[in-house]
Structure formats: structure tokens, C-alpha cells
Amino acid sequence: MATYHPDFIVATADKVYLIETKGDDKVDDVNVRQKQTATVEWIKKINALKPEDRMNRTWEYVLVGES
């Protein structure tokens, strides 16, 4: 079991974004895509919680490449 630490966490009034940054040459890497899939599944579980248990915000995952 691995731990995950996103590059950035950005909270707005209604959302929490987990942001992962990668070079364009790494965006399609199998490990990056596996991490993305696992994180999206985790976020679905967070968003299924009662709003007060998720800071009254919807959570999202964002993968940002160089370009």
C-alpha cells in the first residue's frame, strides 16, 4: 500500500482540488495513470460522504501537464 501526496491542494468556497503536476513526457506514464485512477476512486468515496464530512465541498482531481 503506497501513500499519496498531491503536489498541491487548493480549496475554494465550493471545491477542493488535488492537483498533480507532470512533465508532458510523464503524463501518459503507466504509474502516473495508475495513481490517477486510484485517486479518482478515492475522491468518489470522499464525495459520497455527507457534505459536512467533506468540508461542505466537492473534491476533484486535476492532472496538469507542462503544456
Side-chain angles (χ1 to χ4, degrees), residues 29-57:
D29 181 82
V30 67
N31 291 327
V32 172
R33 290 303 179 173
Q34 286 175 340
K35 187 178 356 178
Q36 178 184 34
T37 299
T39 305
V40 168
E41 290 302 313
W42 182 79
I43 285 176
K44 286 179 186 177
K45 293 175 184 176
I46 295 296
N47 287 329
L49 296 171
K50 295 182 289 186
E52 59 269 20
D53 292 336
R54 53 184 163 87
M55 302 167 48
N56 293 308
R57 293 174 171 96

Side-chain angles (χ1 to χ4, degrees), residues 2 13 17 19 22 24-25 33 38-39 42 45 48 65:
Y17 297 95
I19 302 171
K22 293 291 176 201
D24 285 340
D25 62 327
R33 290 303 179 173
T39 305
W42 182 79
K45 293 175 184 176

Side-chain angles (χ1 to χ4, degrees), residues 3-8 18-36 39 61-67:
T3 59
Y4 172 64
H5 302 279
D7 293 324
F8 300 96
L18 300 183
I19 302 171
E20 185 73 27
T21 59
K22 293 291 176 201
D24 285 340
D25 62 327
K26 300 288 188 209
V27 170
D28 292 320
D29 181 82
V30 67
N31 291 327
V32 172
R33 290 303 179 173
Q34 286 175 340
K35 187 178 356 178
Q36 178 184 34
T39 305
Y61 172 82
V62 180
L63 176 61
V64 180
E66 290 176 87
S67 57

